[in-house]
Amino acid sequence: MASVGGGGGGAQDAQPLHDRSIGDIIADLKNLSSQQVETVLAYQRQHRLRFGEAAVALGFASDDDVLYALSQQFHYPYAPEERRDLSRELVAAVQPFSQQAEAFRAIRSQLMMRLFSANEPKRALAVVSPEPGDGKTFFAANLAVTLAQLGGRTLLVDADMRGPRQHEVFAVANGAGLSNVLSGRKETNVIHQVPDLPSLFLLPVGVTPPNPLELVERPAFKLLLRELLSKFDHVLVDTPAASYGADAGVIAARCGSALAIARKNQCHMNGLQDLVTSLAESPAKLAGVVLNDY
């Protein structure tokens, strides 16, 4: 089997947390000179403000910069403002205090209680949907971000070998990935650490293969998932829409659990019912059905 060592350090042990002041973080973020820092400190003392408030008042930082600094101080990573044009789909990373992000955190809480608790066997979670366009890739990406924000190492595997997009969402290289590993090619550094989210890693599809179903049916996929579960706290797997074939069902069975996504006012009830029924008859535990309203 090919190596699945991660780029940017892979699934190494978490580094010790070091507390830094808000002032230090803002000064580094905005490249403030020592003279500018002294100006902020003087204004802070004069008006009895916090450093961030003083920096904003003087025009050296924005309110968003202060929120980012607070997130760093409390070890709650999300993308800084200057990186937010990479993908607006990553609402949990670029708009962490929005209503959408809060919805993902609520779903995460339910999964932590029902699926990822200490009383449950450790499983990967397949994100499945009946039709293309249901928002499965969007959902899987943001759920992965919120799980990573808990501090545990989270891996998102793009197993949609019919229409992969996770490498585009996270802006990582896609030269090699899951398809290369499952086809037995010797590849290294196929797992990428996501910039600005140190606990989040992505295994992209790599080369889009002509035989995606056969690849996930191979014993190598089950062995790979077992290896990944031993290295990461959470493993999420994006899948092709069920209407494309049996891939999603096979992947869910290999993962051991599945979460179904349906888009409001678009998903056909018959297709969703067929998907839920097939999952109920498979080895995969159905964690629930989420109605995507975005």
Side-chain angles (χ1 to χ4, degrees), residues 215-254:
L215 287 182
V216 296
E217 285 184 324
R218 290 179 180 177
F221 185 49
K222 184 176 182 179
L223 293 174
L224 174 64
L225 286 173
R226 185 184 303 171
E227 178 185 354
L228 295 175
L229 283 168
S230 71
K231 294 182 177 180
F232 293 90
D233 296 291
H234 301 105
V235 177
L236 299 183
V237 183
D238 193 4
T239 66
S243 61
Y244 285 143
D247 309 37
V250 172
I251 295 169
R254 293 285 192 265

Side-chain angles (χ1 to χ4, degrees), residues 147-163:
L147 285 168
Q149 286 170 337
L150 290 176
R153 291 172 294 183
T154 299
L155 174 67
L156 176 58
V157 179
D158 193 350
D160 184 354
M161 289 185 280
R162 297 180 184 268

Side-chain angles (χ1 to χ4, degrees), residues 11-253:
Q12 297 175 350
D13 293 337
Q15 297 298 314
L17 298 177
H18 300 287
D19 290 329
R20 299 173 63 201
S21 70
I22 293 293
D24 286 343
I25 297 172
I26 292 177
D28 287 347
L29 179 66
K30 305 303 293 184
N31 294 317
L32 299 183
S33 67
S34 58
Q35 182 177 357
Q36 288 173 318
V37 171
E38 287 299 324
T39 300
V40 175
L41 291 172
Y43 191 90
Q44 175 186 7
R45 290 190 294 267
Q46 179 183 356
H47 297 276
R48 297 184 179 181
L49 299 173
R50 296 181 177 90
F51 185 95
E53 293 171 332
V56 171
L58 291 169
F60 292 147
S62 66
D63 289 335
D64 187 85
D65 294 327
V66 176
L67 286 175
Y68 176 75
L70 283 168
S71 75
Q72 296 301 295
Q73 190 180 52
F74 283 87
H75 312 296
Y76 183 75
Y78 75 100
E81 189 172 18
E82 56 268 24
R83 285 186 56 83
R84 295 188 182 185
D85 59 346
L86 291 181
S87 177
R88 293 293 176 180
E89 291 184 78
L90 290 174
V91 294
V94 302
Q95 301 175 36
F97 311 110
S98 65
Q99 183 179 358
Q100 284 178 286
E102 189 60 39
F104 281 108
R105 286 191 288 269
I107 295 170
R108 177 193 65 188
S109 296
Q110 291 295 318
L111 290 172
M112 294 302 295
M113 291 187 290
R114 299 181 182 185
L115 189 66
F116 298 136
S117 71
N119 298 326
E120 291 285 334
K122 194 171 184 181
R123 309 178 180 95
L125 175 65
V127 180
V128 301
S129 74
E131 300 287 341
D134 286 331
K136 173 176 43 56
T137 293
F138 161 78
F139 182 89
N142 281 283
L143 181 60
V145 170
T146 59
L147 285 168
Q149 286 170 337
L150 290 176
R153 291 172 294 183
T154 299
L155 174 67
L156 176 58
V157 179
D158 193 350
D160 184 354
M161 289 185 280
R162 297 180 184 268
R165 277 206 322 114
Q166 293 292 359
H167 63 284
E168 297 175 354
V169 173
F170 288 97
V172 302
N174 191 41
L178 179 65
S179 66
N180 304 73
V181 175
L182 297 182
S183 62
R185 300 179 186 178
K186 294 187 179 298
E187 301 284 355
T188 59
N189 298 326
V190 294
I191 294 179
H192 304 269
Q193 186 175 31
V194 176
D196 301 308
L197 297 168
S199 295
L200 181 58
F201 299 81
L202 174 67
L203 173 56
V205 161
V207 178
T208 303
N211 57 337
L213 179 57
E214 287 75 17
L215 287 182
V216 296
E217 285 184 324
R218 290 179 180 177
F221 185 49
K222 184 176 182 179
L223 293 174
L224 174 64
L225 286 173
R226 185 184 303 171
E227 178 185 354
L228 295 175
L229 283 168
S230 71
K231 294 182 177 180
F232 293 90
D233 296 291
H234 301 105
V235 177
L236 299 183
V237 183
D238 193 4
T239 66
S243 61
Y244 285 143
D247 309 37
V250 172
I251 295 169

